[in-house]
């Protein structure tokens, strides 16, 4: 649903020859808990020799990514990754990196999904952002992004790439389910820029996962724009 909304909002037609240049990078911390339950139930009821094939395929980590690509006819590069906290932000940074050096891709979707189990205290969450390869006249752009061994180092690298210092950026609060929170913050920054707020906005990990991540979003500049 989030990916379909992002494509529709940008006016991108799906299941067309142009979709060969559109890819999808997804961040998630685990497979669907509901799918795991369905698989375990299948084993209990039918045994390993006769378990449900469909239940088994749904516990593969890139199942949701593959379904999404088939649904919209996306044939560009795809990846499913998990880096702990804010995996969606990591997916966005890797998508931006790919657009920066690949000439066979014109759009990349960065998405995240977080389906809680019974022990979690948050609700379902999903997000998807469509990146388009650089247009200097775009209304808003990613001008800095970085992954590093910790959040502070990632922030310094993102600032250096954008030729900014800490006093020139506005931190955007990162709230929401762990995997999706970073992308929700980027979407909030996009909305703020559309509303006329100045920025530039800095979005980074709210706490340490297995990797530090930081991005900088600002109006009408260089590199990689967002729809």
């Amino acid at each position: 649903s989030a990916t379909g909304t992002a494509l529709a909002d940008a006016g991108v037609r799906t299941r067309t020859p142009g979709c060969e240049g559109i890819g999808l990078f997804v961040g998630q911390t685990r497979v669907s808990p509901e799918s795991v339950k369905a698989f375990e139930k299948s084993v209990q009821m039918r045994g390993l020799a006769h378990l449900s094939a469909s239940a088994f395929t749904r516990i593969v980590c890139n199942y949701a990514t593959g379904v999404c690509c088939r649904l919209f006819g996306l044939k560009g590069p795809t990846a499913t990754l998990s880096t702990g906290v804010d995996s969606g932000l990591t997916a966005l940074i890797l998508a931006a990196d790919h657009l920066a050096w690949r000439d066979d891709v014109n759009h990349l979707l960065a998405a995240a999904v977080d389906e809680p189990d019974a022990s979690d205290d948050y609700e379902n969450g999903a997000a998807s952002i469509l990146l388009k390869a650089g247009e200097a006249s775009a209304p808003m752009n990613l001008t800095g992004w970085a992954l590093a061994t910790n959040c502070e180092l990632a922030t310094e690298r993102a600032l250096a790439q954008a030729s900014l210092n800490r006093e020139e950026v506005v931190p955007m609060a990162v709230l929401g389910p762990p995997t999706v929170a970073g992308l929700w913050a980027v979407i909030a920054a996009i909305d703020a820029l559309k509303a006329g707020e100045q920025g530039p906005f800095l979005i980074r990990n709210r706490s340490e996962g297995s990797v530090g991540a930081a991005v900088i979003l600002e109006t009408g500049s260089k590199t990689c724009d967002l729809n």
Side-chain angles (χ1 to χ4, degrees):
S1 177
T3 296
T5 300
L7 290 166
D9 186 57
V12 176
R13 295 179 60 194
T14 60
R15 307 191 68 84
T16 67
C19 290
E20 293 186 4
I22 303 176
L24 174 63
F25 284 27
V26 177
Q28 62 185 62
T29 57
R30 59 190 171 198
V31 298
S32 160
E34 286 299 317
S35 295
V36 172
K37 290 178 182 177
F39 173 72
E40 292 174 345
K41 183 177 180 180
S42 171
V43 173
Q44 292 170 359
M45 295 181 64
R46 303 168 63 172
L48 286 172
H50 303 286
L51 60 81
S52 167
S54 62
F56 175 76
T57 58
R58 289 198 297 274
I59 65 170
V60 177
C61 65
N62 63 348
Y63 173 79
T65 306
V67 168
C68 203
C69 287
R70 291 197 303 273
L71 179 63
F72 298 113
L74 309 180
K75 297 182 180 179
T78 181
T80 304
L81 55 111
S82 178
T83 57
V85 177
D86 293 330
S87 293
L89 198 58
T90 305
L92 178 68
I93 292 168
L94 292 178
D97 266 343
H98 272 253
L99 279 180
W101 63 265
R102 291 186 66 148
D103 57 8
D104 59 336
V105 181
N106 46 50
H107 294 81
L108 268 174
L109 286 148
V113 61
D114 206 328
E115 181 185 332
D117 61 22
S119 64
D120 293 317
D121 59 356
Y122 57 84
E123 297 181 353
N124 291 339
S128 189
I129 296 174
L130 181 64
L131 296 171
K132 184 179 181 181
E135 291 182 0
S137 60
M140 64 190 69
N141 298 266
L142 279 179
T143 57
W145 60 85
L147 296 175
T149 53
N150 60 71
C151 190
E152 285 301 314
L153 182 56
T155 300
E156 291 299 327
R157 290 177 177 176
L159 288 167
Q161 185 180 16
S163 300
L164 295 168
N165 58 53
R166 287 180 182 266
E167 291 71 31
E168 295 175 297
V169 296
V170 180
M172 177 60 70
V174 178
L175 304 172
T179 307
V180 183
L183 287 190
W184 279 4
V186 173
I187 292 170
I190 294 171
D191 289 340
L193 291 173
K194 286 181 177 179
E197 294 187 34
Q198 286 297 106
F201 289 102
L202 167 67
I203 302 97
R204 61 180 192 165
N205 295 67
R206 58 184 171 185
S207 59
E208 293 301 328
S210 59
V211 65
V215 302
I216 293 170
L217 180 68
E218 56 186 308
T219 55
S221 190
K222 57 186 185 249
T223 310
C224 184
D225 65 293
L226 294 94
N227 292 302

